[in-house]
Amino acid sequence: MVKAMYVHVPFCDSICAYCDFGRCKMQPQLADRWLTAIERELLKRQLPTAISTLYIGGGTPSALSVKQLDTLLTLLDDYAQQTEEYSVEANPENLSLEKLAVMKAHGVNRISLGVQSFNDQLIKRIERHHDKKRIDQALDQIHEAGIHNISIDLMYGLPDQTIAMLMEDLNLAANDERIKHISIYSLTIEEHSKFGRQKIAPCDNELEGTMYELIVKTLPEYGYQHYEISNFAKPGYESKHNQMYWRYEDYAGIGCGASGKENHIRYDRPFQLLNYLNDEEVFERLELSKSDEMFEFIMMGLRMKQGISLSRFEALFQCSLSDVYASAIHQNIARGWLLIEGDSLRPSEAGMTFLNDVLMAFMD
Ligand code: SF4
């Protein structure tokens, strides 16, 4: 039974230089048509309403107008009655007290703010449209609206970013009592992004590794637990929605550009906005075999420090993880990358850093 829902808002006010996600430039009339299409999809799919975590991502949900946001959240009200966590992604430059008041009124209790860096020069370099001052105001506004569970996204490995710049970002974020959760990802140069077309060189591997080591060392010193490869949280503020993905629960994906997994089927909703508006059922469906699911369960679960539950694996797949993957588990334990503790198979700190290598053994 689906207990998590992701809704993708495909609009952004401007396009960042590194982005090749499913998004397009905001056009208010298109956004109105998109809202009608979301309503149609929700009616058609008749999903269960007992949803534990609801996540509106993008794109930039805060690029919607106050009225459009209200319409979207009203459409989702039925699914928000039992949510433990209701998150909306927002960018500092287009967030406002009015939009936050609408979110609060509909039960939103977590904001994920697209900060990326506090360094004005770097923010400009990646072609985002806020600055350090605006980040500070947005954090204040979120609190003023009565939403105190705030996550921020940061990036590292940005063009021209030095270790000192990264340290400054980490110190600013970690010293800010308003911020409870930090997701931090390295920049990848995607072929179809502006940076890709400009042939911007990716960050040197060694520098990227040093930056990751610094992040992993610094944030826990400020009380942020490193609970997933790229995610750090103050106790009790771990993302419940993302844990649904990492624990390999089913989730519904709504809107163009969204993905979902339900009843052993992984699907992508139509990627192109016009296909979606025209109700063309152009989407990918992949039936997952038992061995696909066993591997994905491991791949997702080992992203988390707490790892995977051996008894849950057995209950889901009617076989023992230690039997099916005996050789991979032994190899990784011998390398110091995996540990078995009680009912959990979990990665060491080094195992989280070298997760791809850990997983190679499971693929064999
Ligand atoms: S990175 Fe986010 S805000 Fe920037 S263009 Fe892509 S989806 Fe929009």
Side-chain angles (χ1 to χ4, degrees):
M1 167 91 82
V2 171
K3 291 216 183 97
M5 182 186 279
Y6 172 80
V7 180
H8 189 75
V9 178
F11 304 102
C12 294
D13 282 336
S14 59
I15 305 301
C16 308
Y18 57 89
C19 181
D20 82 336
F21 306 146
R23 45 56 190 157
C24 60
K25 201 108 185 264
M26 170 51 109
Q27 293 174 48
Q29 282 166 347
L30 263 190
D32 287 339
R33 286 179 60 198
W34 169 82
L35 282 164
T36 309
I38 290 282
E39 183 173 14
R40 181 182 62 208
E41 180 178 357
L42 288 169
L43 275 172
K44 221 185 207 179
R45 291 185 58 182
Q46 294 292 314
L47 290 159
T49 50
I51 295 290
S52 306
T53 67
L54 188 43
Y55 191 103
I56 305 181
T60 313
S62 56
L64 296 171
S65 68
V66 175
K67 186 164 173 272
Q68 287 165 338
L69 202 54
D70 190 34
T71 306
L72 174 63
L73 300 187
T74 303
L75 290 175
L76 296 172
D77 273 345
D78 283 351
Y79 305 93
Q81 299 309 313
Q82 295 175 40
T83 47
E84 287 174 56
E85 186 183 271
Y86 191 172
S87 302
V88 177
E89 287 181 358
N91 278 355
E93 70 274 18
N94 49 28
L95 193 57
S96 66
L97 269 174
E98 290 89 336
K99 291 180 189 178
L100 284 159
V102 167
M103 293 182 206
K104 176 78 180 161
H106 286 276
V108 171
N109 56 15
R110 184 173 184 270
I111 299 289
S112 173
L113 194 65
V115 167
Q116 318 310 347
S117 173
F118 292 90
N119 181 305
D120 289 349
Q121 187 190 325
L122 286 180
I123 296 169
K124 231 182 190 161
R125 181 75 181 86
I126 58 176
E127 299 186 22
R128 291 187 68 109
H129 298 275
H130 58 265
D131 56 19
K132 183 168 173 287
K133 197 170 154 213
R134 180 61 203 131
I135 296 168
D136 191 48
Q137 288 167 345
L139 289 168
D140 272 349
Q141 287 178 328
I142 300 169
H143 265 273
E144 204 180 319
I147 301 175
H148 306 296
N149 187 351
I150 304 181
S151 176
I152 63 163
D153 286 348
L154 288 177
M155 295 179 88
Y156 66 100
L158 298 172
D160 310 324
Q161 187 181 29
T162 62
I163 295 269
M165 287 172 174
L166 173 67
M167 274 313 291
E168 201 187 333
D169 275 349
L170 294 178
N171 288 330
L172 280 166
N175 272 314
D176 194 319
E177 285 296 318
R178 295 168 295 185
I179 298 167
K180 307 296 186 204
H181 183 281
I182 300 172
S183 298
I184 182 159
Y185 295 95
S186 69
L187 174 76
T188 33
I189 305 288
E190 304 290 352
E191 195 187 336
H192 299 294
S193 66
K194 186 167 178 187
F195 277 168
R197 291 192 299 276
Q198 290 174 339
K199 308 266 181 270
I200 298 290
C203 179
D204 169 76
N205 274 343
E206 202 173 316
L207 177 61
E208 190 180 318
T210 308
M211 287 180 160
Y212 183 72
E213 278 170 25
L214 255 179
I215 294 163
V216 168
K217 181 175 169 296
T218 307
L219 292 177
E221 288 170 1
Y222 288 88
Y224 287 89
Q225 292 169 0
H226 184 197
Y227 75 104
E228 192 268 349
I229 295 181
S230 308
N231 286 279
F232 299 78
K234 291 275 175 73
Y237 288 94
E238 297 83 1
S239 162
K240 290 186 173 60
H241 183 80
N242 285 347
Q243 286 184 75
M244 292 280 199
Y245 300 147
W246 302 321
R247 292 199 177 126
Y248 209 56
E249 302 284 359
D250 277 1
Y251 60 98
I254 305 286
C256 61
S259 304
K261 179 177 83 71
E262 290 172 59
N263 302 321
H264 315 287
I265 292 172
R266 176 179 305 295
Y267 58 86
D268 293 326
R269 301 291 297 136
F271 190 73
Q272 297 294 341
L273 179 60
L274 285 181
N275 289 337
Y276 182 69
L277 296 181
N278 294 332
D279 202 15
E280 290 170 26
E281 284 298 304
V282 189
F283 65 93
E284 302 279 326
R285 274 167 71 92
L286 176 69
E287 266 191 53
L288 298 163
S289 66
K290 183 175 168 185
S291 63
D292 290 336
E293 292 201 310
M294 287 196 300
F295 179 73
E296 289 185 0
F297 180 91
I298 293 165
M299 181 177 76
M300 298 306 282
L302 291 181
R303 296 184 63 89
M304 294 182 291
K305 192 168 201 154
Q306 68 182 56
I308 51 191
S309 153
L310 300 173
S311 55
R312 183 152 175 260
F313 182 95
E314 196 156 343
L316 282 176
F317 302 111
Q318 281 80 53
C319 55
S320 150
L321 187 129
S322 322
D323 290 345
V324 183
Y325 294 105
S327 155
I329 293 172
H330 288 139
Q331 272 179 48
N332 280 305
I333 288 178
R335 287 162 163 164
W337 289 348
L338 289 183
L339 308 146
I340 291 189
E341 279 176 0
D343 185 44
S344 321
L345 175 70
R346 69 172 192 85
S348 62
E349 199 62 55
M352 279 169 100
T353 306
F354 299 111
L355 184 62
N356 285 346
D357 298 295
V358 170
L359 293 173
M360 286 299 278
F362 285 90
M363 287 170 96
D364 291 345

